[in-house]
Amino acid sequence: MSRLQSVRGMHDVLPDEAQIRRRIEQVWIDAACGFGYEEIRFPLVESTALFQRSIGETTDIVEKEMYTFEDRNGESLSLRPEGTAGCVRAAIQHGLIPNRQQRLWYLGSFFRHERPQKGRLRQFDQFGVETFGMCGPDIDAEILLLGWQGWQRLGLSPQLMLNTLGNPDERAAWRRQLVDYFSRFESQLEDDDRRRLKTNPLRLLDSKSKSIQDLLEEAPRLEDLLGAESRAHFEGLREILDAHGIDYTLSPRLVRGLDYYDFTVFEWVEESLGAQSALGGGGRYDRLVEQLGGRATPAAGFALGLERIRECLEAEAVAAVDIYLVALGGGETACLRALAMRLRQEIPGLRVRMNMEEGSMKSQMRRADKSGAQAVLIMGAEELSQQSVTLKFLRGSEEQQTVLLDNIAAILAEHFASTG
Ligand code: HAM
């Protein structure tokens, strides 16, 4: 019988990799907490209608990428393909929105049935923030500053692509102009683009096809249709970013793949990643809360793809163990186990691994070395009778020493405080 494998596009995260992923997650959690954002968690499964009504019926995500199934009651459910919809649903359901400003963050897995390739998975992790109740450009700027800080801490500097989609009326006028314009060239369009022209013409802007790219040079621009309010919002945002020295690239063709945006939209792009170069994206979605049954509330947020961020970082394996404990007999094992518990309690953060299954001194030392530990504590019959332990450093040139059990915690605390 063939061995079972993980589902295509859904990957295991093994210990070394998990460590790097946890570091990335911690950077983003710290960045969000530093701006006073609070965590929210919402289910992996929602009713399919939620995603249809928020992301949009004619988007790629809803049309072809959702994991949708009927549960045993015949209800149509979907694995969440993104977080904004679920977050808004939860915020409405629990009354988090009315008369309040909310700043939330979340972290978790999302599912899209896309064709698996580098940077495109069927299960992937996002870190996201969503804000409610603030309509000015200053909150758009705040989430971008939060993003900037996260990138700084990770040592990355993706390009920030910035655009405004105006308000729904301005966009509707632009859509009409785009349809008129592209209809004149319908015979030159590929099937997919001809379909988009009918269902979601704005998506033509990020079509990869050469003919569309050429036609876009002369296509009507939303910029020419923006009214005073939209302009002021966008200029307000740019002023704050400029004041903080945040670089951005104006990208009039950035429309994003979800239907809920108004005004500001943005993406962080790392060109070196190739085809799937967006590390994250977001924008304002001022209509969505009302559309999902809440009171009209301005909102803005973004989400980041953690696997793509991982791709940009150097692998640096960090040992999982500080101290490895080696016992040479049964009595010694019991004594060392008690010592291990005491060390973990007295030196928070110290990672202490106890050898399992006694073996020769040599084989235990080999395991100790493999664990990456800085030091080993060894206890044989002599040490046990003297209530002491031998401390041997595995890396560096420090001498081996015999230390009384009563003193070992203080010595290790000092050593690990100075080496970090
Ligand atoms: P999104 O652009 O669809 O936006 O996804 C955000 C990020 O998630 C992408 O830039 C990418 O890094 C990552 N991502 C998306 N799909 C995949 C995939 N199949 N494999 C690996 N990574 C992927 C949203 O999801 C919006 N909810 C963002 C938002 C929040 N807007 C407002 N608030």
Side-chain angles (χ1 to χ4, degrees), residues 144-191:
L144 288 170
L145 290 172
L146 192 168
W148 182 84
Q149 195 153 64
W151 301 125
Q152 286 277 309
R153 289 182 187 169
L154 288 169
L156 299 177
S157 40
Q159 207 179 354
L160 171 59
M161 316 298 281
L162 193 63
N163 191 21
T164 178
L165 293 180
N167 68 29
D169 291 339
E170 291 154 359
R171 224 167 31 255
W174 183 42
R175 179 191 308 245
R176 279 195 299 276
Q177 292 194 1
L178 281 177
V179 172
D180 284 349
Y181 173 78
F182 280 108
S183 297
R184 284 193 267 139
F185 305 98
E186 201 169 339
S187 58
Q188 297 174 31
L189 304 185
E190 291 167 20
D191 286 351

Side-chain angles (χ1 to χ4, degrees), residues 61 65 81-85 106 110-114 117 119-131 143 256-258 260-261 266-268 276-285 300-309:
I61 295 178
E65 294 170 2
E82 60 101 53
T84 311
Y106 54 87
F110 296 86
F111 304 84
R112 296 184 193 175
H113 194 273
E114 299 191 79
Q117 52 177 270
R120 189 177 265 174
L121 305 165
R122 289 181 170 172
Q123 175 176 337
F124 55 96
D125 284 356
Q126 281 188 347
F127 173 87
V129 303
E130 310 293 355
T131 68
I143 58 178
R256 310 264 306 129
L258 308 102
Y260 47 61
Y261 295 109
F266 57 88
E267 274 180 4
W268 283 288
Q276 308 306 324
S277 60
L279 296 187
R284 291 204 75 83
Y285 48 95
F302 67 70
L304 311 170
L306 301 186
E307 288 82 1
R308 292 189 193 173
I309 295 176

Side-chain angles (χ1 to χ4, degrees), residues 106-313:
Y106 54 87
L107 172 69
S109 294
F110 296 86
F111 304 84
R112 296 184 193 175
H113 194 273
E114 299 191 79
R115 195 135 61 89
Q117 52 177 270
K118 184 168 170 279
R120 189 177 265 174
L121 305 165
R122 289 181 170 172
Q123 175 176 337
F124 55 96
D125 284 356
Q126 281 188 347
F127 173 87
V129 303
E130 310 293 355
T131 68
F132 300 104
M134 294 159 275
C135 62
D138 40 1
I139 189 68
D140 304 12
E142 178 175 286
I143 58 178
L144 288 170
L145 290 172
L146 192 168
W148 182 84
Q149 195 153 64
W151 301 125
Q152 286 277 309
R153 289 182 187 169
L154 288 169
L156 299 177
S157 40
Q159 207 179 354
L160 171 59
M161 316 298 281
L162 193 63
N163 191 21
T164 178
L165 293 180
N167 68 29
D169 291 339
E170 291 154 359
R171 224 167 31 255
W174 183 42
R175 179 191 308 245
R176 279 195 299 276
Q177 292 194 1
L178 281 177
V179 172
D180 284 349
Y181 173 78
F182 280 108
S183 297
R184 284 193 267 139
F185 305 98
E186 201 169 339
S187 58
Q188 297 174 31
L189 304 185
E190 291 167 20
D191 286 351
D192 245 10
D193 290 331
R194 207 171 299 129
R195 193 173 52 81
R196 284 199 183 117
L197 180 59
K198 299 271 174 322
T199 58
N200 201 344
L202 263 50
R203 297 294 300 162
L204 287 171
L205 270 78
D206 50 23
S207 162
K208 304 266 184 297
S209 94
K210 175 85 173 68
S211 53
I212 295 284
Q213 289 300 322
D214 290 345
L215 289 169
L216 276 171
E217 297 293 328
E218 300 293 322
R221 298 179 326 158
L222 175 63
E223 205 185 329
D224 301 328
L225 298 165
L226 292 179
E229 190 199 0
S230 297
R231 279 177 203 282
H233 189 101
F234 200 47
E235 275 158 25
L237 169 60
R238 293 180 57 189
E239 268 168 32
I240 301 174
L241 295 180
D242 291 341
H244 285 269
I246 308 278
D247 274 342
Y248 52 85
T249 306
L250 292 178
S251 356
R253 289 187 195 170
L254 178 68
V255 287
R256 310 264 306 129
L258 308 102
D259 277 356
Y260 47 61
Y261 295 109
D262 288 317
F263 303 108
T264 313
V265 285
F266 57 88
E267 274 180 4
W268 283 288
V269 172
E270 183 58 64
E271 289 300 343
S272 63
L273 284 181
Q276 308 306 324
S277 60
L279 296 187
R284 291 204 75 83
Y285 48 95
D286 291 343
R287 291 161 299 133
L288 187 59
V289 175
E290 191 176 21
Q291 212 167 298
L292 293 179
R295 194 186 298 169
T297 305
F302 67 70
L304 311 170
L306 301 186
E307 288 82 1
R308 292 189 193 173
I309 295 176
R310 162 67 186 93
E311 286 279 313
C312 302
L313 296 173

Side-chain angles (χ1 to χ4, degrees), residues 382-400:
E382 200 179 322
E383 284 98 343
L384 179 62
S385 71
Q386 294 170 358
Q387 287 295 288
S388 66
V389 71
T390 296
L391 167 61
K392 182 178 165 60
F393 288 94
L394 294 175
R395 292 148 234 285
S397 55
E398 274 178 81
E399 288 285 310
Q400 167 172 323

